[in-house]
Amino acid sequence: MKKFLSFLLVFVLVLSMSMNISMAKLDETGAKEISFGTSRGPEDAIIRIADKTYPIKNETILFINGEIIPEAEVVIDGGKAMLPLRLIAEKLGYELGWNGAEKKVTLKKADKSIDITIAKNEMSKLIKNTTYVSPDFVEKNLAESAVVTERIGDDSKEFYDTKMAITQDKTIERSLRNVIIDEKHEYKDNLSSDDAMKLVKEKCLEGLKNFAKTLKEKVKDEPNRFDDDIKLIEKDINRMIYIGEVSKFYRYTIGPYDVLYDRTDGKIYFQIYQDETRIREVDVNDPDLYMSIFIIG
């Protein structure tokens, strides 16, 4: 019976991964789900968005205003991250001009104009015939902030007795180096991290109630089989930890999951860690919302 039930849970999990799950504003293409494949090692990591796969170059992912930019190539030059100027500037609404003779870039946006002479600007560099700039340049000239964070380390804190690593507060994808660029966000409300956590807990518990109901229906011959598991999930939700702000999100953790609360639109996302990291919007009516916890064990 246990083998059959394990098979059933794995089957339902695979089925749920193919369901349409809204990913509003986590990816500009409107993809249904985002996953970061890191099980083969950071040097072979990939990003999956809908039916497309992108290699992660130089073990680094770029996010702009909380959205992943999968095609970006961040170069590590002398141990420091250098960012492709054209891609970033265009994502931020700038028009670019290039004077090859003078090796000068001009950026324009509304009444703002910036001139960069590559040879004279220590925060810029031509790499593979492409202009790259430092995060300091982006923060000084183009955006509110540009943060570079490394992957989660071996000395990370753990979530209570679960032995699950707690993500550092400034990282969206904890298995890889992140470059996170943000303009000034307009937030939907002025919820504090504590008030937002109360809301997140309510949604997580509502989803758990629905999940428990459908789970009992799936195992009618053994209806109390997962009562202890449900209680453990409920316990972890109720002792949720606030980790910090990252980009437009408040980040929380309940052990097997991190939870992202989007302060610009109130959306809530689970960040699920297995062989790869998956991010998907919380749907309290999803009958498989907590299935991954069973697979993790």
Side-chain angles (χ1 to χ4, degrees), residues 1 28 62 94 102 116 141 184 236 249 253 284 295:
M1 177 61 194
E28 63 180 11
L62 175 64
Y94 286 85
E102 299 180 15
I116 311 164
N141 296 284
K184 189 172 183 179
D236 280 348
F249 305 105
T253 191
V284 296
I295 306 305

Side-chain angles (χ1 to χ4, degrees), residues 167-193:
T167 303
Q168 58 269 56
D169 62 343
K170 297 300 181 185
T171 303
I172 294 178
E173 163 47 44
R174 68 184 188 177
S175 300
L176 298 158
R177 182 186 297 109
N178 289 196
V179 177
I180 304 173
I181 296 170
D182 283 282
E183 297 177 287
K184 189 172 183 179
H185 293 292
E186 294 184 6
Y187 297 124
K188 176 186 175 184
D189 49 46
N190 293 315
L191 279 183
S192 67
S193 59

Side-chain angles (χ1 to χ4, degrees), residues 81-116:
M82 296 293 287
L83 316 177
L85 176 60
R86 178 175 290 277
L87 184 151
I88 291 170
E90 288 179 347
K91 295 290 184 184
L92 294 175
Y94 286 85
E95 294 182 2
L96 274 74
W98 169 249
N99 185 321
E102 299 180 15
K103 288 187 169 53
K104 183 171 75 174
V105 179
T106 300
L107 297 90
K108 293 184 178 180
K109 182 179 180 180
D111 296 331
K112 186 176 181 180
S113 182
I114 304 170
D115 291 329
I116 311 164

Side-chain angles (χ1 to χ4, degrees), residues 213-227:
K213 180 180 178 181
T214 56
L215 188 61
K216 284 180 180 291
E217 293 173 353
K218 290 175 183 176
V219 289
K220 291 180 179 179
D221 57 336
E222 205 174 354
N224 300 319
R225 170 68 177 84
F226 292 108
D227 285 357

Side-chain angles (χ1 to χ4, degrees), residues 1 5-6 8-10 12-13 207-231 233 285-295:
M1 177 61 194
L5 193 53
S6 296
L8 174 65
L9 292 175
V10 173
V12 175
L13 173 66
L208 180 61
K209 181 179 178 180
N210 294 334
F211 171 75
K213 180 180 178 181
T214 56
L215 188 61
K216 284 180 180 291
E217 293 173 353
K218 290 175 183 176
V219 289
K220 291 180 179 179
D221 57 336
E222 205 174 354
N224 300 319
R225 170 68 177 84
F226 292 108
D227 285 357
D228 290 342
D229 299 274
I230 297 300
K231 289 177 182 177
I233 298 170
N285 295 310
D286 179 1
D288 303 311
L289 187 62
Y290 288 94
M291 191 64 71
S292 297
I293 287 182
F294 290 103
I295 306 305

Side-chain angles (χ1 to χ4, degrees), residues 26 69 122 224 228 257:
L26 275 173
I69 313 298
E122 61 182 15
N224 300 319
D228 290 342
Y257 291 79

